[in-house]
Amino acid sequence: MRRVFFLGSFLLVAIATMMANENVTPRRSHDVWNRSSGFPGGYVYSVTQTADGYLWIGTSNGLLRYDGLNFTFIRAGDSIALTNAPVQGLATDSSGQLWAADDYTHLFRYDAGLLQGPVPDNGRHQHLVSLVSNTSDGWLLFVSEVQGIVAYAHGEPRLLLDARELPGAPTTAAQTSDGTIWISTSEKGLFRFNPQAGDKHLQQVGGFADNKINCLLPIARKTLLIGTKQGLFALHNDELIADVSPELEHVEILALASGRHGELWIGTAGHVFSGPSKDAETGGRIHSLEELPVSRAVSALFEDRDGNLWIGEPEALERYRDASFNTYLSSAGLPCENCGAIYVGPQQRVWFAPWDGGLFRISHGRLERIEIAGLKDDTVYSLAGGADEVWVGRRHGGLTRLTLQGDTIQASEYSPQSQLASDAVYALYREPTGTLWAGTLNHGVRWFHAGSWHTFTTQDELPSNRITAISGNGQGEIYVGTPEGLAELRNDRWISYRTHDGLPPGQIETIFLDSSHVLWIGTTRGIAFLQAGVIHVPVGAPDALYGDILGIVEKNGWLWITTSNHVLRVKSTALLKEVFVEGDYREFGVSDGLPSVVGVRRSRSVVLDSHGDAWFSLNQGISFLPSSAFAGPAFPVTVRMDGMSVDGKFLGTGDQIRIPPGRHRLTFQYAGVNVSNPDLVRYHYRLNDIDPAWSDPTAAREIDFTNIAPGRFEFQVAASNPDGIWSPHEALLAFEVEPSLLQTRWFQVAAVGVLGLLALGVYQLRVQQLHRQFNIGLEARVHERTRIARDLHDTLLQTLHGLMFQFQAVRNLMTRKPDEAMRSLDDAINETEKALAEGRDAIQGLRSQTIAKGDLAELLMTSSRELAQSATASQELPAFDLIQEGERRALSPNSKNELCRIALEILRNSYRHAEATRIEAEIRYGAHVLRLRIRDDGKGIDPKVLKEGGSAGHWGLRGVRERAERIGAHVDIWSEAGAGTEVQLSVPASIAYEKPRDGFGSKLFAKAKNRAERS
């Protein structure tokens, strides 16, 4: 370790070295509600809060409820008016019950959204004053001229003092923890009695006979503060103290209240003062007061569970928020936008060094510029200090020590023998013992102890000579941050940690060693921590913690952090364990009292003072968070359903909400009760049977659903407070969407039944149709077989039978008459040829393969060729012509078979029997009818045969007519002897043609095709 000695030179400077400016005060979050900003108006008598978070305001116009968003009048149970009688007193008891008293000495309970009552009493009522307060154990204390003093425990009244014992109209009442009840009157002063001690009468307290008492406030067991027209008094251990606070002497005290963290709130005409209650508790006097300005005379004071102070006034309500930051604004007198490094001394003097140079101090509300030792012209990088000294790290002037002696400052500039004056000191850390560590931008870190300096550089194993942050504790632990890594001083040796040891890449901006010896490291690439010699980067942390970390402090287990665009709080154990639950992380913004969320890149831009307050140097100002802020429990938000609307029509929150059938837009309206910061409340919701899980958190207080199917549903919504803690109970709204006629269950069952019956009917019809078609086909087969049998009998069998007789005759004539036998044999041969032709005709009639294939024209051409080939050699072949008209169309299977057989029969007759020289066939595909004509120029048909329908023993014409009748066709025959024959077959289009499989699609396709062809 190397040792370098420095020479100190001292300058003694008086107050003249400081330039005093105007007063500067921190801005507290302050809100005012009047008629122009939503307050309904009226004189505010009393303010209280119930466990569900609602704020209740008793006014001359009635009882108001405030949820953080809206003021709502509460009606009495038997009233329909928007306003009621004045509510002069409000109190909540130990069970959470809200009580209200009007100006007719009525006492009411709040229940189910209404003031219920009045509570039964002695029945005497006049326009007189009544009071409500709390007993020492939290129950209701009710005082009136006609009821006396009554305590209500668990809702049951107990008369403590008869009304006849009261000396006059009571103005205020209270009970101290020793059981003593204190009552003041408008004209006769202060009285006391203790029912627990057996007192039966009031005892007057001296000293207030000519002094109007406006308010009483018990403090601990033996102290009572008394607000009067002539100032603030106290009874401490039964001793009357008139000079409780010199600042309040002869100032009329209009209201008194106590806070959760030991504050006293004192209301006057145009001011509210706060002081520590422990002063009054111990000695009956208040030694220091802080003043809060208000708009009007104070008529009521109340601190809610979040620490907010509510101030009632005539026609207005004001609030000072506790759970928020107090800020010195650049726009309100602070001489900087970026206020750089800060240090807060034991006397709450705030030192800050603006980014653009100079050094300033805020002391007792006065802004002072420090001009000593050339500080006004230099840039200050870092500040540190102790009880009576401030160390200043400078860009050009090295290091300066300011020693405080009353209102004077003694400056010491430390100039080394080699270049310290010209070396920039960027980071400072002062140990509780007074030892100082100074980190420079080029020459490592220097340690000032016992009047001498020691220097450490990279030669001593520092990662870099450029020092950006220093931290430590009273046990001698020292850590140094640099752009290249972290160094720990252990046993007079430096141990370095770099990126390969787990440190995030990037420069170290800030470090902080907490009380559990965990070092928190803020880098340009996020947060890390060193624990037990190992560096960890938390996994699963919020995204903001992986950005540029500029400042860190730890307070009560919470890390307060600034980044380049966030001010946040995170639970240190959540980072250490890498387990985050609701409430472990929160971000803050302008609505919380901050000037901005942009941190400052300076060593020690976030610090803790000796009182536990956290200070933040930010863009546009300096903010501090009182140690009492966020110290209490984070109360969950009560969420309620305000109602629902259907297509814009509000329906409310009734027990049986029924939505008519049809398509609707359903709007659900809800709100969370948070009187501190309602804009930071978040909601998630779900609609059962519609949403599988909760929605993402949203700030919206209404949500729409459209086209909900019929059924019973339940809308659920929950809310989280600004800390991210969700309410344990959801608000619910049940409703039913009615089905339309077509969606009702009975209609659907009936429709299914009808469809079933229809399907059964269609099935039965189809079965009958198939049965009929089968019978038709079977009958056709029977007729065909019968015809074949007749044809075989009439032709082939008879011919063969005749041939048998002829052959027998030839045999008999061969020996006796050979010539005649030869003639008979020739005749038999001729008959045999005829039999062969008839056999071929019969077989051709049985062939269905030709019929089954091709169309009608192809069949006629093929059959014509076959008939011509089967003709005898002696027979002259006729010429055959085929004519087609119209667009060819496919024939239905049933009609095609019969048409082909009819055509074959007619064509066969023309070839075999007509002796024609020309045969002509004509097919016409009409839109309504299919026509087939076959004509020849043969010998014609005997008119008698036509008339009788055919020759005896022949079945050709009869078969043609029978087939035509079976398919619904019509046959016309024209013939004369020697003039030929013409047969016309007419078949309706619905029977002849095959129907398309999808008529509508085919029609569209046909229309499109026709248009295309026309175009």
Side-chain angles (χ1 to χ4, degrees):
M1 181 173 62
R2 296 180 300 161
R3 177 173 296 180
V4 181
F5 295 94
F6 295 84
L7 175 64
S9 60
F10 301 94
L11 298 174
L12 183 63
V13 186
I15 300 177
T17 60
M18 297 180 295
M19 182 181 68
N21 294 331
E22 71 277 3
N23 291 336
V24 291
T25 56
R27 185 196 67 178
R28 299 188 60 172
S29 180
H30 180 214
D31 304 283
V32 179
W33 290 270
N34 49 35
R35 287 188 178 273
S36 63
S37 56
F39 184 69
Y43 188 96
V44 177
Y45 292 111
S46 181
V47 181
T48 191
Q49 188 178 35
T50 46
D52 53 13
Y54 285 108
L55 195 74
W56 303 87
I57 305 113
T59 74
S60 57
N61 293 333
L63 177 61
L64 286 173
R65 185 184 71 185
Y66 181 61
D67 59 4
L69 300 169
N70 300 294
F71 294 92
T72 304
F73 272 111
I74 302 300
R75 298 186 178 92
D78 57 353
S79 174
I80 61 173
L82 288 178
T83 59
N84 301 295
V87 173
Q88 293 184 333
L90 288 174
T92 54
D93 64 19
S94 296
S95 66
Q97 176 66 58
L98 175 66
W99 299 84
D102 66 7
D103 60 347
Y104 280 87
T105 70
H106 289 121
L107 185 63
F108 297 86
R109 290 188 181 95
Y110 175 79
D111 184 49
L114 297 172
L115 281 179
Q116 306 290 352
V119 174
D121 50 37
N122 59 21
R124 297 177 298 167
H125 296 286
Q126 306 173 43
H127 188 73
L128 296 172
V129 175
S130 60
L131 307 171
V132 289
S133 182
N134 290 101
T135 62
S136 57
D137 52 0
W139 296 107
L140 180 71
L141 185 66
F142 179 60
V143 182
S144 78
E145 289 184 75
V146 295
Q147 306 299 325
I149 302 176
V150 184
Y152 284 83
H154 303 283
E156 297 297 325
R158 181 168 64 94
L159 182 64
L160 302 180
L161 187 69
D162 190 88
R164 290 171 293 184
E165 295 291 332
L166 294 178
T171 57
T172 184
Q175 186 178 30
T176 50
S177 59
D178 63 353
T180 301
I181 296 176
W182 305 83
I183 298 173
S184 64
T185 64
S186 58
E187 297 177 353
K188 298 182 180 181
L190 181 65
F191 297 83
R192 61 183 293 176
F193 92 107
N194 191 336
Q196 298 177 8
D199 294 348
K200 301 296 183 182
H201 305 283
L202 293 176
Q203 301 176 13
Q204 189 168 12
V205 179
F208 299 98
D210 299 325
N211 194 357
K212 179 185 176 183
I213 298 176
N214 297 317
C215 48
L216 300 174
L217 180 66
I219 304 294
R221 183 176 179 83
K222 287 292 186 178
T223 302
L224 179 71
L225 290 182
I226 307 162
T228 74
K229 186 175 182 179
Q230 298 176 11
L232 182 62
F233 293 78
L235 277 172
H236 180 66
N237 293 327
D238 294 332
E239 176 188 355
L240 181 62
I241 300 174
D243 55 343
V244 174
S245 173
E247 296 180 56
L248 300 176
E249 188 175 359
H250 304 301
V251 176
E252 184 173 10
I253 307 302
L254 300 175
L256 292 169
S258 59
R260 297 180 307 147
H261 303 295
E263 301 93 344
L264 287 176
W265 302 105
I266 305 166
T268 67
H271 298 278
V272 171
F273 297 90
S274 67
S277 62
K278 63 181 180 180
D279 290 352
E281 179 183 346
T282 56
R285 289 177 173 83
I286 302 174
H287 303 297
S288 63
L289 289 176
E290 179 185 355
E291 181 181 350
L292 301 176
V294 293
S295 304
R296 299 175 177 85
V298 176
S299 58
L301 289 173
F302 175 75
E303 183 179 306
D304 67 19
R305 65 186 187 182
D306 294 320
N308 303 313
L309 177 65
W310 296 86
I311 305 159
E313 303 166 359
E315 303 295 331
L317 184 69
E318 299 191 32
R319 176 187 66 184
Y320 278 97
R321 286 180 55 198
D322 174 67
S324 63
F325 294 83
N326 299 326
T327 299
Y328 293 97
L329 287 171
S330 301
S331 59
L334 214 60
C336 53
E337 291 189 358
N338 184 325
C339 294
I342 55 176
Y343 165 71
V344 183
Q347 295 80 28
Q348 293 296 100
R349 290 174 174 174
V350 183
W351 301 76
F352 62 95
W355 185 274
D356 53 357
L359 178 65
F360 291 83
R361 181 178 72 172
I362 300 175
S363 178
H364 304 296
R366 299 286 296 177
L367 177 65
E368 302 166 346
R369 181 170 183 172
I370 309 301
E371 298 183 343
I372 192 172
L375 285 170
K376 69 175 182 177
D377 299 319
D378 202 353
T379 297
V380 175
Y381 283 137
S382 185
L383 297 168
D388 57 357
E389 65 179 10
V390 177
W391 290 89
V392 183
R394 304 167 62 172
R395 180 179 182 181
H396 300 295
L399 185 66
T400 299
R401 179 184 181 185
L402 302 179
T403 304
L404 310 178
Q405 297 179 353
D407 292 331
T408 63
I409 299 177
Q410 187 180 31
S412 304
E413 293 183 86
Y414 287 86
S415 302
Q417 295 176 348
S418 59
Q419 300 181 355
L420 180 61
S422 62
D423 192 15
V425 176
Y426 188 81
L428 292 175
Y429 171 70
R430 182 183 182 275
E431 295 184 41
T433 59
T435 298
L436 183 74
W437 293 82
T440 70
L441 288 180
N442 299 298
H443 295 89
V445 62
R446 286 160 178 161
W447 172 40
F448 181 67
H449 178 69
S452 62
W453 290 90
H454 307 271
T455 301
F456 302 95
T457 66
T458 53
Q459 296 180 10
D460 301 295
E461 303 301 328
L462 286 180
S464 171
N465 284 332
R466 185 180 183 89
I467 309 301
T468 56
I470 309 173
S471 184
N473 59 17
Q475 287 77 42
E477 296 181 81
I478 297 296
Y479 296 88
V480 173
T482 75
E484 303 300 327
L486 176 73
E488 175 188 2
L489 183 62
R490 186 189 303 172
N491 298 325
D492 293 331
R493 292 183 61 253
W494 290 99
I495 300 174
S496 295
Y497 302 88
R498 302 176 185 269
T499 54
H500 61 265
D501 297 306
L503 196 68
Q507 174 174 301
I508 293 178
E509 299 282 359
T510 182
I511 56 177
F512 184 86
L513 184 62
D514 68 17
S515 57
S516 60
H517 304 281
V518 175
L519 181 73
W520 297 96
I521 308 163
T523 75
T524 56
R525 300 293 293 274
I527 194 169
F529 62 89
L530 176 65
Q531 186 179 39
V534 180
I535 289 181
H536 305 267
V537 176
V539 177
D543 292 342
L545 294 175
Y546 297 109
D548 197 358
I549 307 297
L550 301 178
I552 304 175
V553 294
E554 186 268 343
K555 183 176 75 167
N556 300 326
W558 294 94
L559 294 180
W560 293 87
I561 298 173
T562 60
T563 74
S564 56
N565 54 5
H566 292 88
V567 176
L568 59 91
R569 181 188 73 171
V570 62
K571 206 162 193 175
S572 59
T573 55
L575 291 172
L576 294 172
K577 297 178 180 178
E578 298 182 346
V579 177
F580 291 84
V581 297
E582 294 176 0
D584 285 348
Y585 176 84
R586 178 178 172 181
E587 295 182 6
F588 299 87
V590 176
S591 62
D592 297 294
L594 292 172
S596 73
V597 294
V598 180
V600 171
R601 197 178 303 276
R602 278 286 191 264
S603 175
R604 302 185 61 81
S605 62
V606 180
V607 298
L608 286 176
D609 66 17
S610 59
H611 298 281
D613 297 346
W615 291 79
F616 303 82
S617 180
L618 301 167
N619 192 33
Q620 304 298 325
I622 297 173
S623 297
F624 70 94
L625 193 67
S627 57
S628 61
F630 304 105
F635 293 97
V637 174
T638 300
V639 63
R640 70 166 189 270
M641 286 298 308
D642 288 335
M644 68 177 297
S645 300
V646 179
D647 298 328
K649 181 180 179 181
F650 186 72
L651 296 184
T653 57
D655 293 334
Q656 294 182 346
I657 298 179
R658 303 177 69 88
I659 312 300
R663 295 177 176 268
H664 299 288
R665 177 173 58 87
L666 307 184
T667 303
F668 298 92
Q669 294 145 2
Y670 45 84
V673 181
N674 188 309
V675 298
S676 296
N677 205 335
D679 292 334
L680 295 183
V681 175
R682 294 296 178 264
Y683 306 89
H684 62 195
Y685 57 85
R686 63 184 175 188
L687 188 61
N688 66 336
D689 297 332
I690 299 294
D691 297 321
W694 290 102
S695 69
D696 293 332
T698 176
R701 291 189 287 269
E702 65 176 39
I703 189 67
D704 292 338
F705 287 84
T706 57
N707 301 331
I708 301 297
R712 296 179 182 271
F713 300 94
E714 189 175 73
F715 180 79
Q716 302 172 336
V717 61
S720 71
N721 64 12
D723 288 334
I725 299 176
W726 291 93
S727 54
H729 305 291
E730 302 91 18
L732 308 175
L733 181 64
F735 64 97
E736 180 180 359
V737 178
E738 297 178 336
S740 64
L741 176 63
L742 299 180
Q743 294 172 321
T744 56
R745 185 59 56 88
W746 67 265
F747 180 84
Q748 293 174 350
V749 172
V752 171
V754 170
L755 288 176
L757 293 174
L758 181 61
L760 181 61
V762 171
Y763 172 76
Q764 293 291 341
L765 288 176
R766 181 58 178 164
V767 169
Q768 293 177 7
Q769 182 183 17
L770 293 175
H771 183 68
R772 185 165 56 252
Q773 291 177 353
F774 176 78
N775 289 337
I776 291 173
L778 181 62
E779 183 180 356
R781 291 188 185 93
V782 171
H783 284 306
E784 186 65 18
R785 290 177 181 179
T786 303
R787 184 190 66 79
I788 293 172
R790 287 197 301 266
D791 290 346
L792 291 175
H793 178 271
D794 293 346
T795 57
L796 186 59
L797 292 179
Q798 290 181 358
T799 303
L800 292 175
H801 193 265
L803 286 173
M804 183 184 69
F805 284 107
Q806 285 184 341
F807 285 131
Q808 183 65 38
V810 169
R811 182 178 179 277
N812 294 333
L813 291 174
M814 287 291 293
T815 57
R816 292 184 294 107
K817 297 179 180 179
D819 294 335
E820 187 176 350
M822 291 300 294
R823 286 194 299 273
S824 295
L825 185 58
D826 291 337
D827 291 339
I829 290 172
N830 291 332
E831 290 296 328
T832 301
E833 290 178 353
K834 292 181 180 180
L836 289 174
E838 290 174 353
R840 283 195 299 271
D841 292 342
I843 292 171
Q844 189 175 17
L846 294 175
R847 293 175 64 188
S848 59
Q849 184 176 5
T850 306
I851 296 173
K853 296 180 180 180
D855 56 10
L856 186 58
E858 182 180 351
L859 176 70
L860 291 175
M861 293 297 296
T862 303
S863 299
S864 174
R865 288 193 297 270
E866 291 178 353
L867 289 171
Q869 292 173 0
S870 66
T872 60
S874 61
Q875 184 178 354
E876 184 180 356
L877 294 177
F880 179 77
D881 292 326
L882 177 64
I883 302 172
Q884 284 191 93
E885 294 183 5
E887 183 180 356
R888 183 181 300 178
R889 298 177 64 178
L891 302 180
S892 65
N894 292 335
S895 63
K896 179 179 180 181
N897 185 64
E898 298 299 334
L899 282 171
C900 291
R901 292 188 181 278
I902 292 172
L904 283 175
E905 182 65 27
I906 297 172
L907 194 61
R908 186 185 302 115
N909 286 335
S910 296
Y911 270 92
R912 298 300 184 204
H913 306 296
E915 300 178 2
T917 61
R918 185 176 186 83
I919 299 174
E920 184 179 282
E922 178 184 340
I923 304 172
R924 177 174 295 177
Y925 294 95
H928 303 289
V929 72
L930 171 67
R931 285 190 175 88
L932 170 65
R933 290 191 182 95
I934 299 177
R935 62 178 71 91
D936 61 59
D937 58 355
K939 63 183 180 179
I941 302 175
D942 187 355
K944 181 180 179 181
V945 174
L946 287 177
K947 184 177 181 181
E948 293 178 357
S951 302
H954 294 273
W955 306 94
L957 291 179
R958 290 190 179 92
V960 167
R961 294 186 185 278
E962 288 175 0
R963 290 183 185 278
E965 290 177 359
R966 277 201 297 270
I967 64 174
H970 182 69
V971 178
D972 293 309
I973 303 175
W974 298 278
S975 181
E976 293 183 4
T981 302
E982 180 176 347
V983 181
Q984 176 177 286
L985 178 66
S986 302
V987 187
S990 60
I991 297 174
Y993 303 137
E994 184 178 19
K995 296 180 179 179
R997 294 186 180 181
D998 52 345
F1000 180 73
S1002 298
K1003 290 178 182 178
L1004 290 178
F1005 179 76
K1007 290 181 179 179
K1009 182 178 179 181
N1010 292 337
R1011 292 192 189 99
E1013 290 176 352
R1014 286 196 298 268
S1015 62

